[in-house]
Amino acid sequence: MEKIICRIKERSWLAGRAARKMDSARLAMVLGRTIHLHGVNRQAFLADVAWLRHEVCHVRQFRSYGFWRFLWLYLLEYRRRGYYNNRFEVEARLAEKDEEMLAGVEIE
Ligand SMILES: [Zn+2]
């Protein structure tokens, strides 16, 4: 099975900016294989399996499309459909219930 190594960055400046934009107290965002956190620490984030699966799904999306291509496609989707309805978010929400999502995933 392929192994995916993810990193976690707590108190991320980028996630903080996104949180202000989204008007959200807690926020996680993924860039490549790094999960950036704001308003939640590593321990609490990892304890929330559905949330972890959601963000790992984004890590997988970055892997399957490639970093810049995925970023570009995500922004296009975001502009067209907003946050909630963009297809990458729809897929990540479905992943929250997917018991296979964390298979082969290692969190550094
Ligand atoms: Zn998401």
Side-chain angles (χ1 to χ4, degrees):
M1 183 196 300
E2 68 162 350
K3 201 166 112 180
I4 299 178
I5 297 171
C6 301
R7 295 196 210 117
I8 289 183
K9 182 161 175 55
E10 295 177 291
R11 290 184 293 276
S12 155
W13 177 83
L14 258 174
R17 296 234 349 181
R20 276 188 290 283
K21 188 169 158 53
M22 308 272 294
D23 199 20
S24 169
R26 302 159 82 222
L27 187 134
M29 64 176 282
V30 173
L31 275 179
R33 60 192 184 96
T34 304
I35 302 170
H36 293 252
L37 301 180
H38 173 82
V40 59
N41 67 22
R42 176 188 174 96
Q43 196 185 6
F45 172 71
L46 291 177
D48 188 334
V49 176
W51 197 3
L52 177 61
R53 286 174 182 159
H54 180 115
E55 302 309 331
V56 165
C57 180
H58 289 313
V59 172
R60 291 183 186 274
Q61 289 166 344
F62 267 105
R63 280 173 66 93
S64 57
Y65 291 94
F67 186 90
W68 293 109
R69 181 164 156 75
F70 177 65
L71 214 52
W72 172 246
L73 291 172
Y74 186 95
L75 286 172
L76 279 181
E77 275 286 301
Y78 185 85
R79 281 187 61 177
R80 263 184 220 144
R81 294 183 236 268
Y83 172 73
Y84 193 80
N85 292 317
N86 97 50
R87 65 186 161 113
F88 302 113
E89 291 304 332
V90 171
E91 186 181 34
R93 279 200 306 278
L94 287 173
E96 293 171 12
K97 295 183 187 74
D98 181 354
E99 290 176 6
E100 297 297 303
M101 188 49 52
L102 302 181
V105 172
E106 205 174 278
I107 310 286
E108 271 186 349

